[in-house]
Amino acid sequence: MDQLDRITQQPEIMGGKACIRGMRVTVGMIVGQLAAGRDMEAILADYPYLEREDITQALRYAAWRAEERELVLASA
């Protein structure tokens, strides 16, 4: 997705998990903190190298992945 230019996946960083701008901060960590009740401002204060758009894109990425469907193809 073009609007997810801050989300990167590299095998050598966090085992290929979706990360923010090649850093060792995973989308799962961001979304998990938001789900636990932390707000965006608290996350930005704890991780000063993150930007608001990083968190927004992490949420967009998580929503996109949640909408993916896996099709099982029957063998012939």
Side-chain angles (χ1 to χ4, degrees):
M1 293 185 71
D2 292 338
Q3 62 250 42
L4 297 176
D5 59 341
R6 292 174 179 243
I7 307 301
T8 58
Q9 288 183 283
Q10 299 167 309
E12 66 277 5
I13 299 174
M14 300 301 286
K17 291 182 180 181
C19 293
I20 306 297
R21 294 184 285 130
M23 295 184 278
R24 299 181 69 77
V25 177
T26 65
V27 167
M29 184 275 295
I30 298 288
V31 173
Q33 287 199 26
L34 291 167
R38 308 235 21 240
D39 64 18
M40 193 180 296
E41 297 307 319
I43 295 170
L44 291 171
D46 287 346
Y47 301 91
Y49 43 86
L50 291 179
E51 299 172 3
R52 181 173 296 278
E53 184 62 18
D54 295 329
I55 297 172
T56 300
Q57 283 196 25
L59 286 171
R60 273 194 227 132
Y61 179 82
W64 174 67
R65 289 299 305 258
E67 290 297 320
E68 280 188 351
R69 295 183 192 166
E70 184 175 324
L71 298 177
V72 178
L73 302 176
S75 344

